[in-house]
Amino acid sequence: MRDLFDGLDRDGVPRRGPRGRTASPPGMRPPAREEGMLDRPIIRERLGAPAGGPRPQARAGVARWGRHSLAADSVRALRAIGSFGTVGHADLKALYTSPGRATRSIRRLESAGLLQVERFRRGHLSFRGVTLTAKGVRLLVRSIDPREAGDRHAQTYLRGPARPSQILHDLAVYRAARQETGRIEASGSSVRRVVTERELQARASRVMHAARAAGADGPQARAAAAKKVGLKVVGGKLAFPDVRLETAPRDGEEGRPGSVDIELVTLNYRQASLRAKGTAGFTVYRVDDRGAVSRAA
């Protein structure tokens, strides 16, 4: 989504004037105001793996992936990171049975060169994000989830946020998706694949390009993309959710896979904009300036 952070430009960074200074009329200083957390720049630093840290060891209940012996929860953690691009360190630890096991496992994966932990700071807010390395992405791409056998689109694995300035948004997307996954599983269904906004945009772009090459005009190309990718045209534009959760039919039931499109909005979102999200068929989650999310009524 493009308007999550009020006061930021389309690239998610504060609008700047010449030489990196905030733009303001000549001879005037910018008006004094209280600086909000979302208006502050992101400071990013790599946190290295502990020297001489624990190495992966073969033990009961682990799968052999190439040279790596990984327990089921570590595989689940790697897939979660790759599916969303970046996952908060605290959110990732919640996938394990205990904090101690999570800490040890994350360190092993980091020492094995499969993931990296980075610290992001914005003002007084500091948090850690976990991303895959190129090696970690290659490992996942070579391993096919049995649930995806025969699927036209296998799970796409990403490395890092689309832009560091959007890290808070990306972490919140994962939290909203986890909450919605709980609701989906409680209904007896399951999530079979995660499709990010980046991937949906790429799919739609390919369809529109092919349609235009065949002689379609702009509206016709958008309509073709909407039909092919499962989107809606709102206000003359394709409406893309922040993330799509593709779901499998309930156990014992037959039918086509479904999907849930999730969109994040800020707490002060306008009602008119919220109605537009509903028109697009999105399941809306609200996010505050610290990244906490809650499902909109």
Side-chain angles (χ1 to χ4, degrees):
M1 90 191 237
R2 298 299 175 212
D3 49 3
L4 175 65
F5 301 128
D6 286 340
L8 304 189
D9 67 15
R10 64 175 298 175
D11 291 320
V13 296
R15 298 185 178 91
R16 298 280 180 182
R19 299 184 182 181
R21 295 180 180 177
T22 303
S24 58
M28 294 184 62
R29 297 180 61 185
R33 63 181 177 84
E34 182 180 355
E35 187 179 41
M37 187 61 64
L38 296 180
D39 296 315
R40 301 183 183 183
I42 287 286
I43 300 173
R44 181 181 189 179
E45 56 183 317
R46 171 77 179 273
L47 302 180
R55 301 179 63 83
Q57 298 179 358
R59 59 190 185 279
V62 301
R64 190 76 180 177
W65 283 22
R67 296 182 295 104
H68 304 284
S69 297
L70 302 178
D73 48 12
S74 290
V75 174
R76 184 166 59 248
L78 288 174
R79 284 183 170 148
I81 300 167
S83 297
F84 291 87
T86 308
V87 174
H89 190 268
D91 297 314
L92 191 65
K93 292 176 70 174
L95 298 179
Y96 291 86
T97 55
S98 70
R101 177 171 176 77
T103 298
R104 292 190 298 272
S105 295
I106 292 172
R107 285 178 177 172
R108 288 192 184 100
L109 296 173
E110 190 176 13
S111 297
L114 300 177
L115 59 77
Q116 65 185 39
V117 182
E118 296 177 283
R119 178 181 290 117
F120 296 86
R121 290 182 288 128
R122 169 169 273 163
H124 63 270
L125 181 63
S126 176
F127 47 93
R128 286 184 289 175
V130 186
T131 63
L132 293 182
T133 61
K135 180 180 178 181
V137 171
R138 288 195 300 270
L139 180 65
L140 289 178
V141 169
R142 290 199 303 265
S143 65
I144 301 299
D145 189 324
R147 291 171 299 179
E148 299 173 7
D151 282 355
R152 182 177 179 183
H153 298 290
Q155 177 65 56
T156 298
Y157 295 109
L158 308 173
R159 183 185 177 193
R163 290 183 292 272
S165 57
Q166 285 196 320
I167 183 65
L168 284 173
H169 169 265
D170 289 354
L171 299 187
V173 168
Y174 172 79
R175 291 166 188 152
R178 285 294 299 173
Q179 286 191 28
E180 191 63 25
T181 296
R183 297 173 64 92
I184 292 170
E185 292 176 345
S187 71
S189 187
S190 61
V191 174
R192 62 202 300 264
R193 184 166 48 247
V194 174
V195 187
T196 63
E197 181 183 22
R198 283 183 267 176
E199 186 176 353
L200 290 171
Q201 289 173 338
R203 290 184 188 178
S205 179
R206 289 192 293 268
V207 175
M208 292 178 67
H209 179 77
R212 288 195 178 101
D217 59 16
Q220 290 171 334
R222 284 191 291 273
K227 181 178 180 180
K228 185 73 173 181
V229 185
L231 302 169
K232 290 187 178 181
V233 178
V234 180
K237 298 180 180 179
L238 284 171
F240 293 95
D242 285 313
V243 68
R244 170 175 290 174
L245 302 180
E246 295 187 352
T247 61
R250 297 180 182 180
D251 292 340
E253 293 185 359
E254 296 183 358
R256 300 183 61 184
S259 64
V260 178
D261 288 346
I262 297 175
E263 178 79 352
L264 267 65
V265 301
T266 53
L267 297 178
N268 58 351
Y269 222 68
R270 297 185 300 272
Q271 288 299 318
S273 298
L274 284 175
R275 285 193 294 271
K277 304 301 182 186
T279 301
F282 296 156
T283 297
V284 178
Y285 277 79
R286 296 182 181 274
V287 56
D288 64 20
D289 62 358
R290 289 179 174 270
V293 300
S294 58
R295 199 174 195 266

